[in-house]
Short mmCIF file of all heavy atoms in Angstrom, two decimals:
data_model
loop_
_atom_site.label_atom_id
_atom_site.label_comp_id
_atom_site.label_asym_id
_atom_site.label_seq_id
_atom_site.Cartn_x
_atom_site.Cartn_y
_atom_site.Cartn_z
N MET A 1 185.36 84.18 44.35
CA MET A 1 185.47 82.74 44.14
C MET A 1 186.95 82.36 44.00
O MET A 1 187.37 81.33 44.54
CB MET A 1 184.69 82.38 42.91
CG MET A 1 184.66 80.91 42.60
SD MET A 1 183.66 80.59 41.13
CE MET A 1 182.95 79.08 41.54
N LEU A 2 187.73 83.15 43.29
CA LEU A 2 189.12 82.88 43.10
C LEU A 2 189.86 82.89 44.44
O LEU A 2 190.65 82.00 44.75
CB LEU A 2 189.76 83.89 42.15
CG LEU A 2 191.25 83.78 41.99
CD1 LEU A 2 191.64 82.43 41.42
CD2 LEU A 2 191.77 84.91 41.15
N GLU A 3 189.57 83.88 45.25
CA GLU A 3 190.25 83.99 46.55
C GLU A 3 189.90 82.80 47.45
O GLU A 3 190.74 82.27 48.12
CB GLU A 3 189.91 85.29 47.22
CG GLU A 3 190.52 86.52 46.53
CD GLU A 3 192.04 86.44 46.39
OE1 GLU A 3 192.74 85.98 47.34
OE2 GLU A 3 192.56 86.87 45.36
N ASP A 4 188.61 82.40 47.43
CA ASP A 4 188.19 81.25 48.22
C ASP A 4 188.94 79.98 47.77
O ASP A 4 189.38 79.19 48.59
CB ASP A 4 186.67 81.06 48.14
CG ASP A 4 185.93 82.13 48.84
OD1 ASP A 4 186.51 82.86 49.67
OD2 ASP A 4 184.72 82.27 48.56
N TRP A 5 189.02 79.77 46.44
CA TRP A 5 189.69 78.62 45.91
C TRP A 5 191.14 78.61 46.31
O TRP A 5 191.67 77.60 46.77
CB TRP A 5 189.51 78.59 44.40
CG TRP A 5 190.12 77.35 43.78
CD1 TRP A 5 189.54 76.12 43.61
CD2 TRP A 5 191.43 77.28 43.18
NE1 TRP A 5 190.40 75.30 42.99
CE2 TRP A 5 191.56 75.95 42.71
CE3 TRP A 5 192.44 78.16 43.02
CZ2 TRP A 5 192.73 75.54 42.10
CZ3 TRP A 5 193.61 77.73 42.41
CH2 TRP A 5 193.74 76.42 41.96
N SER A 6 191.77 79.75 46.15
CA SER A 6 193.22 79.86 46.47
C SER A 6 193.47 79.62 47.97
O SER A 6 194.39 78.87 48.36
CB SER A 6 193.76 81.24 46.10
OG SER A 6 193.69 81.43 44.69
N ALA A 7 192.62 80.23 48.80
CA ALA A 7 192.78 80.03 50.27
C ALA A 7 192.59 78.57 50.64
O ALA A 7 193.31 78.08 51.52
CB ALA A 7 191.79 80.95 51.00
N GLY A 8 191.63 77.90 50.02
CA GLY A 8 191.44 76.49 50.30
C GLY A 8 192.65 75.66 49.93
O GLY A 8 193.03 74.71 50.64
N ARG A 9 193.26 76.00 48.82
CA ARG A 9 194.49 75.27 48.38
C ARG A 9 195.60 75.46 49.40
O ARG A 9 196.32 74.53 49.79
CB ARG A 9 194.95 75.73 47.02
CG ARG A 9 193.92 75.63 45.94
CD ARG A 9 193.69 74.28 45.41
NE ARG A 9 194.97 73.69 44.97
CZ ARG A 9 195.10 72.38 44.73
NH1 ARG A 9 194.05 71.60 44.89
NH2 ARG A 9 196.21 71.90 44.35
N VAL A 10 195.77 76.72 49.87
CA VAL A 10 196.81 77.02 50.81
C VAL A 10 196.54 76.30 52.17
O VAL A 10 197.45 75.69 52.74
CB VAL A 10 196.94 78.54 51.01
CG1 VAL A 10 197.85 78.87 52.22
CG2 VAL A 10 197.44 79.21 49.78
N ARG A 11 195.31 76.35 52.61
CA ARG A 11 194.96 75.69 53.92
C ARG A 11 195.21 74.18 53.86
O ARG A 11 195.62 73.61 54.84
CB ARG A 11 193.47 75.97 54.26
CG ARG A 11 193.20 77.25 54.93
CD ARG A 11 191.80 77.29 55.54
NE ARG A 11 190.75 77.05 54.57
CZ ARG A 11 190.19 77.95 53.76
NH1 ARG A 11 190.62 79.21 53.81
NH2 ARG A 11 189.25 77.61 52.95
N SER A 12 194.95 73.58 52.70
CA SER A 12 195.11 72.17 52.61
C SER A 12 196.56 71.71 52.36
O SER A 12 196.88 70.55 52.34
CB SER A 12 194.21 71.60 51.51
OG SER A 12 194.70 71.99 50.22
N GLY A 13 197.46 72.69 52.16
CA GLY A 13 198.82 72.42 51.88
C GLY A 13 199.06 71.95 50.45
O GLY A 13 200.13 71.43 50.15
N SER A 14 198.10 72.13 49.57
CA SER A 14 198.22 71.69 48.14
C SER A 14 199.08 72.67 47.41
O SER A 14 199.25 73.84 47.81
CB SER A 14 196.83 71.61 47.55
OG SER A 14 196.04 70.69 48.16
N LEU A 15 199.59 72.22 46.28
CA LEU A 15 200.31 73.07 45.41
C LEU A 15 199.44 74.19 44.86
O LEU A 15 198.24 73.99 44.66
CB LEU A 15 200.90 72.27 44.22
CG LEU A 15 201.91 71.22 44.59
CD1 LEU A 15 202.24 70.39 43.32
CD2 LEU A 15 203.15 71.81 45.18
N LEU A 16 200.01 75.34 44.62
CA LEU A 16 199.23 76.46 44.09
C LEU A 16 200.13 77.26 43.18
O LEU A 16 201.24 77.62 43.54
CB LEU A 16 198.72 77.33 45.22
CG LEU A 16 198.02 78.63 44.84
CD1 LEU A 16 196.75 78.33 44.13
CD2 LEU A 16 197.78 79.51 46.04
N ALA A 17 199.64 77.53 41.98
CA ALA A 17 200.30 78.43 41.07
C ALA A 17 199.25 79.37 40.51
O ALA A 17 198.10 78.87 40.27
CB ALA A 17 201.03 77.66 39.97
N ARG A 18 199.54 80.61 40.30
CA ARG A 18 198.55 81.54 39.75
C ARG A 18 199.18 82.24 38.54
O ARG A 18 200.36 82.57 38.56
CB ARG A 18 198.17 82.60 40.79
CG ARG A 18 197.29 82.01 41.87
CD ARG A 18 197.01 83.01 42.93
NE ARG A 18 195.81 83.74 42.61
CZ ARG A 18 195.28 84.66 43.44
NH1 ARG A 18 195.84 84.94 44.58
NH2 ARG A 18 194.17 85.29 43.11
N ALA A 19 198.39 82.45 37.57
CA ALA A 19 198.82 83.20 36.39
C ALA A 19 197.74 84.22 36.07
O ALA A 19 196.53 83.89 36.17
CB ALA A 19 199.03 82.29 35.19
N TYR A 20 198.12 85.39 35.71
CA TYR A 20 197.20 86.45 35.30
C TYR A 20 197.40 86.66 33.85
O TYR A 20 198.47 86.93 33.33
CB TYR A 20 197.49 87.73 36.06
CG TYR A 20 196.43 88.81 35.88
CD1 TYR A 20 195.30 88.79 36.69
CD2 TYR A 20 196.53 89.75 34.92
CE1 TYR A 20 194.35 89.78 36.54
CE2 TYR A 20 195.59 90.73 34.75
CZ TYR A 20 194.48 90.76 35.57
OH TYR A 20 193.50 91.72 35.38
N VAL A 21 196.31 86.45 33.01
CA VAL A 21 196.38 86.56 31.54
C VAL A 21 195.59 87.79 31.10
O VAL A 21 194.44 87.93 31.42
CB VAL A 21 195.82 85.26 30.89
CG1 VAL A 21 195.86 85.37 29.39
CG2 VAL A 21 196.54 84.03 31.36
N ASP A 22 196.30 88.65 30.43
CA ASP A 22 195.68 89.91 29.93
C ASP A 22 196.07 90.09 28.49
O ASP A 22 197.27 90.05 28.14
CB ASP A 22 196.20 91.07 30.76
CG ASP A 22 195.68 92.41 30.34
OD1 ASP A 22 194.62 92.48 29.71
OD2 ASP A 22 196.35 93.43 30.63
N LEU A 23 195.07 90.22 27.63
CA LEU A 23 195.31 90.46 26.20
C LEU A 23 195.82 91.89 26.02
O LEU A 23 195.10 92.84 26.30
CB LEU A 23 194.09 90.24 25.35
CG LEU A 23 193.58 88.79 25.32
CD1 LEU A 23 192.25 88.73 24.63
CD2 LEU A 23 194.60 87.88 24.63
N GLY A 24 197.04 92.07 25.51
CA GLY A 24 197.59 93.40 25.29
C GLY A 24 196.89 94.13 24.17
O GLY A 24 196.50 93.53 23.17
N ASN A 25 196.68 95.40 24.34
CA ASN A 25 196.06 96.24 23.32
C ASN A 25 194.67 95.79 22.89
O ASN A 25 194.31 96.01 21.71
CB ASN A 25 197.00 96.43 22.12
CG ASN A 25 198.34 97.02 22.50
OD1 ASN A 25 198.38 98.02 23.24
ND2 ASN A 25 199.40 96.41 22.02
N PHE A 26 193.97 95.18 23.75
CA PHE A 26 192.67 94.63 23.39
C PHE A 26 191.65 95.71 23.02
O PHE A 26 190.86 95.51 22.12
CB PHE A 26 192.11 93.72 24.50
CG PHE A 26 190.88 92.95 24.07
CD1 PHE A 26 191.00 91.95 23.14
CD2 PHE A 26 189.64 93.25 24.60
CE1 PHE A 26 189.88 91.27 22.72
CE2 PHE A 26 188.54 92.56 24.20
CZ PHE A 26 188.62 91.54 23.28
N LYS A 27 191.68 96.83 23.70
CA LYS A 27 190.75 97.91 23.35
C LYS A 27 191.06 98.39 21.91
O LYS A 27 190.05 98.65 21.16
CB LYS A 27 190.96 99.10 24.31
CG LYS A 27 189.98 100.25 24.01
CD LYS A 27 190.22 101.46 24.87
CE LYS A 27 189.26 102.59 24.58
NZ LYS A 27 188.96 102.86 23.22
N ASP A 28 192.29 98.47 21.54
CA ASP A 28 192.61 98.85 20.16
C ASP A 28 192.04 97.85 19.17
O ASP A 28 191.60 98.18 18.09
CB ASP A 28 194.15 98.99 19.97
CG ASP A 28 194.70 100.14 20.80
OD1 ASP A 28 193.93 101.06 21.10
OD2 ASP A 28 195.91 100.11 21.07
N PHE A 29 192.14 96.53 19.54
CA PHE A 29 191.61 95.48 18.64
C PHE A 29 190.10 95.69 18.47
O PHE A 29 189.58 95.64 17.39
CB PHE A 29 191.91 94.10 19.23
CG PHE A 29 191.38 92.96 18.41
CD1 PHE A 29 192.20 92.39 17.43
CD2 PHE A 29 190.10 92.49 18.53
CE1 PHE A 29 191.72 91.36 16.63
CE2 PHE A 29 189.61 91.46 17.78
CZ PHE A 29 190.43 90.87 16.78
N ASN A 30 189.42 95.86 19.61
CA ASN A 30 187.95 96.08 19.54
C ASN A 30 187.60 97.30 18.72
O ASN A 30 186.67 97.30 17.91
CB ASN A 30 187.36 96.24 20.95
CG ASN A 30 186.86 94.91 21.55
OD1 ASN A 30 186.77 93.92 20.82
ND2 ASN A 30 186.53 94.94 22.77
N ASP A 31 188.37 98.36 18.89
CA ASP A 31 188.10 99.61 18.12
C ASP A 31 188.29 99.39 16.62
O ASP A 31 187.53 99.90 15.80
CB ASP A 31 189.01 100.75 18.60
CG ASP A 31 188.64 101.24 19.98
OD1 ASP A 31 187.53 100.92 20.48
OD2 ASP A 31 189.47 101.94 20.58
N ALA A 32 189.29 98.60 16.27
CA ALA A 32 189.63 98.37 14.86
C ALA A 32 188.71 97.32 14.22
O ALA A 32 188.33 97.48 13.04
CB ALA A 32 191.09 97.91 14.73
N TYR A 33 188.39 96.24 14.96
CA TYR A 33 187.69 95.11 14.31
C TYR A 33 186.25 94.93 14.82
O TYR A 33 185.53 94.08 14.30
CB TYR A 33 188.45 93.84 14.52
CG TYR A 33 189.84 93.94 13.85
CD1 TYR A 33 190.98 94.09 14.63
CD2 TYR A 33 189.99 93.82 12.48
CE1 TYR A 33 192.20 94.21 14.06
CE2 TYR A 33 191.22 93.93 11.90
CZ TYR A 33 192.35 94.12 12.68
OH TYR A 33 193.57 94.21 12.09
N GLY A 34 185.87 95.63 15.86
CA GLY A 34 184.53 95.56 16.42
C GLY A 34 184.40 94.60 17.55
O GLY A 34 185.20 93.66 17.76
N CYS A 35 183.37 94.83 18.38
CA CYS A 35 183.18 94.05 19.63
C CYS A 35 182.82 92.58 19.33
O CYS A 35 183.15 91.71 20.12
CB CYS A 35 182.15 94.68 20.46
SG CYS A 35 182.68 96.26 21.20
N LEU A 36 182.14 92.32 18.25
CA LEU A 36 181.77 90.93 17.94
C LEU A 36 183.04 90.06 17.73
O LEU A 36 183.11 88.98 18.24
CB LEU A 36 180.86 90.81 16.70
CG LEU A 36 179.44 91.29 16.93
CD1 LEU A 36 178.67 91.22 15.62
CD2 LEU A 36 178.73 90.48 18.00
N ARG A 37 183.99 90.63 17.00
CA ARG A 37 185.25 89.89 16.82
C ARG A 37 186.03 89.82 18.15
O ARG A 37 186.67 88.85 18.46
CB ARG A 37 186.09 90.54 15.75
CG ARG A 37 185.60 90.21 14.38
CD ARG A 37 186.61 90.56 13.30
NE ARG A 37 186.05 90.22 12.02
CZ ARG A 37 186.43 90.86 10.89
NH1 ARG A 37 187.33 91.80 10.91
NH2 ARG A 37 185.93 90.50 9.73
N GLY A 38 185.99 90.92 18.92
CA GLY A 38 186.61 90.90 20.20
C GLY A 38 186.06 89.84 21.14
O GLY A 38 186.82 89.17 21.83
N ASP A 39 184.73 89.65 21.09
CA ASP A 39 184.10 88.61 21.92
C ASP A 39 184.59 87.21 21.45
O ASP A 39 184.80 86.37 22.29
CB ASP A 39 182.60 88.68 21.77
CG ASP A 39 181.97 89.89 22.52
OD1 ASP A 39 182.75 90.55 23.28
OD2 ASP A 39 180.81 90.16 22.27
N LYS A 40 184.75 87.07 20.17
CA LYS A 40 185.24 85.81 19.63
C LYS A 40 186.71 85.50 20.14
O LYS A 40 187.02 84.38 20.47
CB LYS A 40 185.21 85.74 18.11
CG LYS A 40 183.76 85.62 17.61
CD LYS A 40 183.79 85.55 16.10
CE LYS A 40 182.34 85.44 15.58
NZ LYS A 40 182.27 85.34 14.14
N VAL A 41 187.49 86.55 20.19
CA VAL A 41 188.86 86.41 20.70
C VAL A 41 188.85 85.97 22.19
O VAL A 41 189.56 85.11 22.59
CB VAL A 41 189.68 87.71 20.51
CG1 VAL A 41 190.99 87.65 21.26
CG2 VAL A 41 189.92 87.99 19.02
N ILE A 42 188.01 86.59 22.95
CA ILE A 42 187.90 86.25 24.40
C ILE A 42 187.42 84.81 24.54
O ILE A 42 187.96 84.05 25.37
CB ILE A 42 186.96 87.22 25.11
CG1 ILE A 42 187.68 88.60 25.23
CG2 ILE A 42 186.56 86.71 26.53
CD1 ILE A 42 186.82 89.70 25.82
N LEU A 43 186.44 84.40 23.80
CA LEU A 43 185.99 83.01 23.85
C LEU A 43 187.12 82.03 23.42
O LEU A 43 187.29 80.97 24.01
CB LEU A 43 184.76 82.80 22.98
CG LEU A 43 183.47 83.40 23.56
CD1 LEU A 43 182.35 83.32 22.48
CD2 LEU A 43 183.05 82.69 24.81
N PHE A 44 187.84 82.40 22.38
CA PHE A 44 188.95 81.59 21.92
C PHE A 44 190.01 81.43 23.06
O PHE A 44 190.48 80.32 23.29
CB PHE A 44 189.59 82.17 20.67
CG PHE A 44 190.74 81.38 20.15
CD1 PHE A 44 190.54 80.24 19.35
CD2 PHE A 44 192.01 81.75 20.47
CE1 PHE A 44 191.60 79.55 18.87
CE2 PHE A 44 193.11 81.02 19.98
CZ PHE A 44 192.90 79.90 19.18
N LEU A 45 190.35 82.53 23.69
CA LEU A 45 191.30 82.49 24.77
C LEU A 45 190.81 81.60 25.92
O LEU A 45 191.54 80.79 26.46
CB LEU A 45 191.63 83.88 25.29
CG LEU A 45 192.52 83.96 26.51
CD1 LEU A 45 193.89 83.30 26.25
CD2 LEU A 45 192.71 85.41 26.95
N ALA A 46 189.54 81.77 26.27
CA ALA A 46 188.97 80.95 27.35
C ALA A 46 189.04 79.47 27.02
O ALA A 46 189.42 78.64 27.88
CB ALA A 46 187.51 81.35 27.63
N LYS A 47 188.73 79.11 25.78
CA LYS A 47 188.78 77.71 25.39
C LYS A 47 190.23 77.21 25.37
O LYS A 47 190.51 76.08 25.77
CB LYS A 47 188.19 77.53 24.00
CG LYS A 47 186.67 77.68 24.00
CD LYS A 47 186.09 77.59 22.60
CE LYS A 47 184.58 77.81 22.62
NZ LYS A 47 184.00 77.77 21.29
N ALA A 48 191.19 78.04 24.93
CA ALA A 48 192.54 77.64 24.92
C ALA A 48 193.09 77.40 26.36
O ALA A 48 193.78 76.45 26.61
CB ALA A 48 193.42 78.70 24.19
N LEU A 49 192.71 78.31 27.24
CA LEU A 49 193.13 78.13 28.63
C LEU A 49 192.54 76.84 29.25
O LEU A 49 193.27 76.10 29.89
CB LEU A 49 192.72 79.38 29.50
CG LEU A 49 193.43 80.65 29.18
CD1 LEU A 49 192.76 81.83 29.91
CD2 LEU A 49 194.91 80.57 29.55
N ARG A 50 191.28 76.61 28.92
CA ARG A 50 190.65 75.41 29.48
C ARG A 50 191.31 74.16 28.93
O ARG A 50 191.54 73.21 29.66
CB ARG A 50 189.15 75.44 29.12
CG ARG A 50 188.38 74.36 29.82
CD ARG A 50 186.89 74.49 29.62
NE ARG A 50 186.58 74.89 28.26
CZ ARG A 50 185.42 75.42 27.90
NH1 ARG A 50 184.47 75.59 28.75
NH2 ARG A 50 185.19 75.74 26.65
N LEU A 51 191.62 74.14 27.64
CA LEU A 51 192.27 72.95 27.02
C LEU A 51 193.64 72.76 27.65
O LEU A 51 194.11 71.61 27.78
CB LEU A 51 192.38 73.13 25.55
CG LEU A 51 191.15 72.90 24.73
CD1 LEU A 51 191.37 73.25 23.28
CD2 LEU A 51 190.67 71.44 24.87
N GLY A 52 194.33 73.86 28.05
CA GLY A 52 195.62 73.75 28.63
C GLY A 52 195.68 73.12 30.01
O GLY A 52 196.70 72.60 30.43
N VAL A 53 194.55 73.07 30.70
CA VAL A 53 194.49 72.56 32.04
C VAL A 53 193.46 71.47 32.24
O VAL A 53 193.18 71.05 33.35
CB VAL A 53 194.25 73.68 33.10
CG1 VAL A 53 195.34 74.73 33.02
CG2 VAL A 53 192.90 74.31 32.92
N VAL A 54 192.90 70.93 31.16
CA VAL A 54 191.76 70.03 31.24
C VAL A 54 192.14 68.78 32.05
O VAL A 54 191.31 68.27 32.78
CB VAL A 54 191.25 69.67 29.85
CG1 VAL A 54 192.23 68.81 29.08
CG2 VAL A 54 189.91 68.94 29.96
N ASP A 55 193.37 68.28 31.94
CA ASP A 55 193.79 67.10 32.68
C ASP A 55 194.72 67.38 33.85
O ASP A 55 195.42 66.50 34.34
CB ASP A 55 194.45 66.09 31.74
CG ASP A 55 193.48 65.59 30.67
OD1 ASP A 55 192.31 65.34 31.03
OD2 ASP A 55 193.93 65.31 29.52
N ALA A 56 194.68 68.64 34.31
CA ALA A 56 195.61 69.02 35.35
C ALA A 56 195.30 68.25 36.66
O ALA A 56 194.20 68.01 37.02
CB ALA A 56 195.48 70.51 35.63
N ILE A 57 196.37 67.86 37.31
CA ILE A 57 196.28 67.22 38.62
C ILE A 57 197.24 68.01 39.53
O ILE A 57 198.42 68.02 39.28
CB ILE A 57 196.71 65.71 38.57
CG1 ILE A 57 195.75 64.99 37.66
CG2 ILE A 57 196.71 65.13 39.95
CD1 ILE A 57 196.17 63.56 37.38
N PRO A 58 196.69 68.60 40.57
CA PRO A 58 195.29 68.67 40.97
C PRO A 58 194.49 69.54 40.01
O PRO A 58 195.07 70.27 39.19
CB PRO A 58 195.35 69.32 42.38
CG PRO A 58 196.61 70.13 42.36
CD PRO A 58 197.56 69.39 41.46
N PRO A 59 193.14 69.43 40.08
CA PRO A 59 192.29 70.15 39.15
C PRO A 59 192.61 71.67 39.16
O PRO A 59 192.93 72.23 40.22
CB PRO A 59 190.88 69.88 39.69
CG PRO A 59 191.02 68.61 40.40
CD PRO A 59 192.38 68.58 41.03
N ALA A 60 192.47 72.30 38.01
CA ALA A 60 192.78 73.71 37.90
C ALA A 60 191.51 74.52 37.89
O ALA A 60 190.41 74.01 37.67
CB ALA A 60 193.54 73.97 36.59
N PHE A 61 191.65 75.79 38.23
CA PHE A 61 190.55 76.75 38.20
C PHE A 61 190.88 77.86 37.22
O PHE A 61 192.01 78.37 37.26
CB PHE A 61 190.37 77.32 39.62
CG PHE A 61 189.37 78.45 39.68
CD1 PHE A 61 188.05 78.15 39.90
CD2 PHE A 61 189.76 79.76 39.53
CE1 PHE A 61 187.12 79.20 39.99
CE2 PHE A 61 188.86 80.79 39.61
CZ PHE A 61 187.53 80.51 39.81
N ILE A 62 189.99 78.19 36.33
CA ILE A 62 190.18 79.29 35.41
C ILE A 62 189.06 80.30 35.72
O ILE A 62 187.86 79.93 35.70
CB ILE A 62 190.12 78.87 33.96
CG1 ILE A 62 191.24 77.87 33.66
CG2 ILE A 62 190.23 80.08 33.05
CD1 ILE A 62 191.19 77.26 32.26
N GLY A 63 189.46 81.54 35.99
CA GLY A 63 188.45 82.55 36.25
C GLY A 63 188.54 83.67 35.27
O GLY A 63 189.63 84.08 34.88
N HIS A 64 187.38 84.18 34.84
CA HIS A 64 187.29 85.35 33.96
C HIS A 64 187.08 86.55 34.87
O HIS A 64 186.03 86.74 35.44
CB HIS A 64 186.15 85.19 32.96
CG HIS A 64 186.01 86.30 32.01
ND1 HIS A 64 184.84 86.68 31.49
CD2 HIS A 64 186.95 87.13 31.47
CE1 HIS A 64 185.01 87.68 30.67
NE2 HIS A 64 186.29 88.01 30.64
N VAL A 65 188.17 87.34 35.01
CA VAL A 65 188.12 88.48 35.90
C VAL A 65 187.21 89.57 35.34
O VAL A 65 186.45 90.25 36.05
CB VAL A 65 189.54 89.03 36.16
CG1 VAL A 65 189.51 90.24 37.03
CG2 VAL A 65 190.45 87.96 36.75
N GLY A 66 187.26 89.72 34.01
CA GLY A 66 186.44 90.68 33.35
C GLY A 66 187.18 91.19 32.07
O GLY A 66 188.36 91.15 32.04
N GLY A 67 186.42 91.63 31.14
CA GLY A 67 187.07 92.16 29.91
C GLY A 67 187.96 91.10 29.31
O GLY A 67 187.51 90.02 28.97
N ASP A 68 189.24 91.47 29.14
CA ASP A 68 190.18 90.51 28.55
C ASP A 68 191.15 89.92 29.59
O ASP A 68 192.21 89.50 29.28
CB ASP A 68 190.98 91.22 27.43
CG ASP A 68 191.84 92.36 27.99
OD1 ASP A 68 191.45 92.99 29.02
OD2 ASP A 68 192.87 92.64 27.37
N ASP A 69 190.74 89.91 30.85
CA ASP A 69 191.59 89.43 31.92
C ASP A 69 191.08 88.10 32.45
O ASP A 69 189.89 87.94 32.79
CB ASP A 69 191.60 90.48 33.09
CG ASP A 69 192.15 91.81 32.67
OD1 ASP A 69 193.09 91.80 31.80
OD2 ASP A 69 191.69 92.85 33.17
N PHE A 70 192.02 87.17 32.60
CA PHE A 70 191.73 85.88 33.15
C PHE A 70 192.76 85.50 34.18
O PHE A 70 193.88 85.99 34.17
CB PHE A 70 191.83 84.75 32.03
CG PHE A 70 190.73 84.87 31.00
CD1 PHE A 70 190.79 85.75 29.95
CD2 PHE A 70 189.62 83.99 31.10
CE1 PHE A 70 189.77 85.80 28.99
CE2 PHE A 70 188.60 84.09 30.14
CZ PHE A 70 188.68 84.96 29.13
N VAL A 71 192.34 84.61 35.13
CA VAL A 71 193.28 84.08 36.11
C VAL A 71 193.19 82.57 35.99
O VAL A 71 192.14 81.98 35.82
CB VAL A 71 192.87 84.54 37.53
CG1 VAL A 71 193.77 83.88 38.58
CG2 VAL A 71 192.97 86.03 37.67
#
């Protein structure tokens, strides 16, 4: 989905910027505090990213690559 979205932006000549977000030492966090807290951290990050681009023009795309990785 991310590649299709990016390719469409390039084809249309629209602006495109990409950022890869990865929580450092996230496995250590999960090991120390448990997966339930880790899940809360991932949800918090997703909400923060979404709030950061909610009014973006052109519209932004946020993708959850997996684990603690977002684009």
Side-chain angles (χ1 to χ4, degrees):
M1 184 179 215
L2 173 63
E3 291 303 321
D4 290 343
W5 182 85
S6 296
R9 304 284 305 165
V10 170
R11 277 193 305 275
S12 70
S14 298
L15 296 174
L16 174 67
R18 289 175 90 175
Y20 189 87
V21 179
D22 178 23
L23 294 172
N25 300 314
F26 188 68
K27 182 184 179 321
D28 295 337
F29 181 91
N30 266 350
D31 290 346
Y33 299 104
C35 291
L36 288 177
R37 284 193 180 154
D39 288 349
K40 288 182 181 181
V41 169
I42 289 174
L43 287 172
F44 179 82
L45 175 59
K47 289 177 184 178
L49 291 171
R50 188 172 41 197
L51 284 174
V53 300
V54 69
D55 293 325
I57 298 173
F61 173 88
I62 298 173
H64 182 211
V65 178
D68 64 331
D69 299 325
F70 290 82
V71 175

